[in-house]
Amino acid sequence: MINPASSLLEYDEMQRGIAGGRKVPVPMLGSEIIRVESACCYADVCDRTIRDWAKRDGIGRQAGKSGTLKISLPALLMKVDNQMETLERLREGDRDHPAVEFYLRRAVRLQEEVKV
């Protein structure tokens, strides 16, 4: 029999965007995903920091230990600007909130600048 207190805790953690002590990754569109190397350049930090942020703050996702770590550029920009409330709105799927929209547009502009 499943311990009801345990399942309630797990449900509560999922409601708060936490799974197993780590943040649930933000939802990402394919066009918003960047590699760790690119994230290092955008944030001006080392790859270890990006990996730590992905694990602790849920700005990226990785399918298995040997999978490629994919970083959400909008989430990274929010993290760099210390906009954790906006990051939580993105995690909740509130892409229409003005603060979230600002970072979504900013990410698009930055990626367009790199292509030029």
Side-chain angles (χ1 to χ4, degrees):
M1 168 137 181
I2 297 174
N3 178 353
S6 173
S7 62
L8 286 175
L9 177 63
E10 290 171 10
Y11 177 76
D12 184 51
E13 285 184 343
M14 288 302 289
Q15 290 295 99
R16 291 182 286 131
I18 301 170
R22 61 175 28 174
K23 285 287 189 176
V24 173
V26 296
M28 296 182 240
L29 299 178
S31 60
E32 298 169 351
I33 295 172
I34 59 173
R35 299 174 56 96
V36 171
E37 296 82 5
S38 298
C40 292
C41 293
Y42 283 114
D44 195 26
V45 295
C46 69
D47 65 314
R48 183 75 250 153
T49 301
I50 296 295
R51 293 176 189 285
D52 288 345
W53 288 352
K55 183 177 181 179
R56 186 180 62 234
D57 299 308
I59 65 165
R61 66 177 182 227
Q62 184 175 15
K65 289 189 175 206
S66 61
T68 302
L69 177 58
K70 299 174 182 180
I71 304 297
S72 164
L73 180 54
L76 174 68
L77 297 173
M78 292 171 196
K79 172 65 180 169
V80 169
D81 289 348
N82 199 30
Q83 294 296 312
M84 303 313 282
E85 185 177 315
T86 305
L87 182 58
E88 289 307 314
R89 286 183 184 278
L90 177 62
R91 187 181 327 284
E92 294 166 2
D94 189 3
R95 299 176 73 88
D96 295 326
H97 188 275
V100 175
E101 283 183 340
F102 169 79
Y103 281 96
L104 296 173
R105 285 191 306 272
R106 185 174 166 203
V108 168
R109 282 193 310 270
L110 286 171
Q111 287 181 314
E112 288 174 349
E113 289 174 9
V114 170
K115 289 179 184 177
V116 173

